[in-house]
Amino acid sequence: MTTQLAAAVPALRTEGVIGLIAPAGPAALDVEKAGQWMRARGHELRIFPGVYERDGYLAGSDEVRLRDLHAAFADPEIDAIFCLRGGYGSPRLLDRLDFDLIRANPKPFVGYSDITALHLAINRYAGFVTFHGPMLNADLLGDKQQPTESSLFSMLRGQLSECSALAHPVAYPLTTIEPGVACGRLLGGNLSMIAAVMGTAFEIDAEGIILFIEDVNEPLYRIDRLLTHLRLAGKLAQVAGVLVGDVSGVDKAALERLLKQTFEPLCIPVLSGWRSGHCDPNLTLPLGALVRLDAGEQQLVLEQDVVFKP
């Protein structure tokens, strides 16, 4: 297992300020509804300028989106950073990120899908835990069912600590693809994004990790192709275990056959069906954190604190 662990970040404080940025695609935002939603949960919402912009399939130019991301990390009044949506464009920012600035201002950073590229980069070069979790527009304002919201805020506020098992709703049964127990850093996110940054300075460091994957709108043959890409690149042989999130639009039985074919030769624990990703509910996961995966008992347990109270 890789010994360098991601550091915990400051917990979201009571009445803390949440910064909203759009580092990927654009989306129409009901500003009044968003503000009311946050105030009802005890937080002020500060919307960064790029949220209001649109540049084709991007939420503003690269310069605008990068400026907002840096400004949100640099602002001492911002306690946590939420992303408006995923979509497209996050990888365009990677080689322009100021990791010295980000490293000096650790705080919860939340998003998924295209935001995976930023998670991989921040974890690798800034060295702190980030959160694969719901985004404001589609998930939180979209009224996704519990425990979408409670999973997010319990983690950010420090209600889960070392040795806490992450709860999974019983209404959505998990599937043990391969039993076993493994400990490692939880890394990954959107499978297409993980593959997209392979061969770059931002590719996933897979040594000893618990690999988390999810995806949407990808037929089974493309999921196969993406997993094969990671296998041929030597990444799958390095991982200690695999947690499979939601793979929307793919037949469950066919996906499980593919996962069995892919991972059985590696003799590592594999647990499938975790409700995280493009799904409802959408549970929050701490990327970079040390976890213990027990695929047979269908448990995921924190092996470190992911936030701390200053």
Side-chain angles (χ1 to χ4, degrees):
M1 182 182 70
T2 301
T3 55
Q4 184 177 357
L5 301 179
V9 294
L12 175 61
R13 62 186 175 89
T14 303
E15 299 182 350
V17 179
I18 292 174
L20 179 66
I21 64 172
L29 176 67
D30 185 331
V31 174
E32 183 176 354
K33 179 181 179 181
Q36 290 176 345
W37 192 94
M38 283 296 179
R39 286 191 297 273
R41 286 146 184 86
H43 299 289
E44 176 190 342
L45 181 67
R46 185 168 302 170
I47 301 173
F48 282 77
V51 168
Y52 301 108
E53 297 203 17
R54 180 184 291 264
D55 184 3
Y57 52 82
L58 303 173
S61 66
D62 293 348
E63 291 74 17
V64 166
R65 292 179 292 115
L66 185 70
R67 179 196 65 206
D68 282 358
L69 187 149
H70 285 157
F73 273 106
D75 190 335
E77 294 185 354
I78 299 296
D79 294 278
I81 302 170
F82 286 14
C83 295
L84 176 68
R85 63 158 289 183
Y88 328 94
S90 295
R92 294 170 59 135
L93 307 181
L94 298 185
D95 59 349
R96 300 170 63 184
L97 291 173
D98 185 341
F99 291 107
D100 290 335
L101 181 152
I102 295 171
R103 190 183 307 112
N105 297 278
K107 59 189 68 175
F109 175 78
V110 185
Y112 68 102
S113 192
D114 194 73
I115 309 301
T116 294
L118 296 172
H119 285 305
L120 292 172
I122 292 170
N123 184 266
R124 184 162 190 160
Y125 293 108
F128 57 79
V129 172
T130 60
F131 298 91
H132 184 279
M135 290 181 283
L136 185 64
N137 228 41
D139 298 275
L140 299 177
L141 298 184
D143 295 325
K144 286 198 173 178
Q145 61 182 309
Q146 289 289 18
T148 298
E149 179 187 331
S150 59
S151 170
L152 172 66
F153 283 111
S154 63
M155 194 166 291
L156 297 192
R157 291 169 178 161
Q159 294 164 5
L160 296 173
S161 58
E162 183 179 354
C163 298
S164 295
L166 301 189
H168 193 271
V170 295
Y172 299 94
L174 297 165
T175 301
T176 299
I177 304 297
E178 290 293 319
V181 180
C183 290
R185 295 172 302 143
L186 182 67
L187 284 179
N190 181 260
L191 180 58
S192 297
M193 280 293 99
I194 295 170
V197 297
M198 287 294 298
T200 75
F202 309 98
E203 70 179 23
I204 193 167
D205 177 7
E207 185 64 38
I209 69 170
I210 305 300
L211 174 66
F212 168 67
I213 55 174
E214 66 85 33
D215 221 316
V216 63
N217 296 331
E218 297 287 359
L220 187 66
Y221 75 87
R222 289 172 68 170
I223 299 296
D224 187 353
R225 181 187 297 163
L226 293 165
L227 290 172
T228 300
H229 183 182
L230 296 185
R231 180 179 65 81
L232 294 176
K235 295 297 183 180
L236 297 188
Q238 297 178 320
V239 307
V242 180
L243 179 68
V244 182
D246 186 66
V247 183
S248 301
V250 173
D251 177 75
K252 182 175 181 287
L255 175 65
E256 290 173 1
R257 285 195 298 272
L258 173 60
L259 294 173
K260 187 81 171 177
Q261 292 169 354
T262 302
F263 294 110
E264 186 177 36
L266 301 178
C267 300
I268 57 175
V270 181
L271 181 63
S272 181
W274 199 270
R275 298 294 290 183
S276 186
H278 299 76
C279 53
D280 183 10
N282 179 10
L283 308 181
T284 298
L285 290 170
L287 298 178
L290 183 64
V291 300
R292 174 167 51 88
L293 173 67
D294 187 331
E297 294 296 322
Q298 301 185 339
Q299 282 191 334
L300 187 67
V301 179
L302 294 178
E303 293 289 302
Q304 70 168 91
D305 290 335
V306 296
V307 302
F308 64 90
K309 296 186 178 178

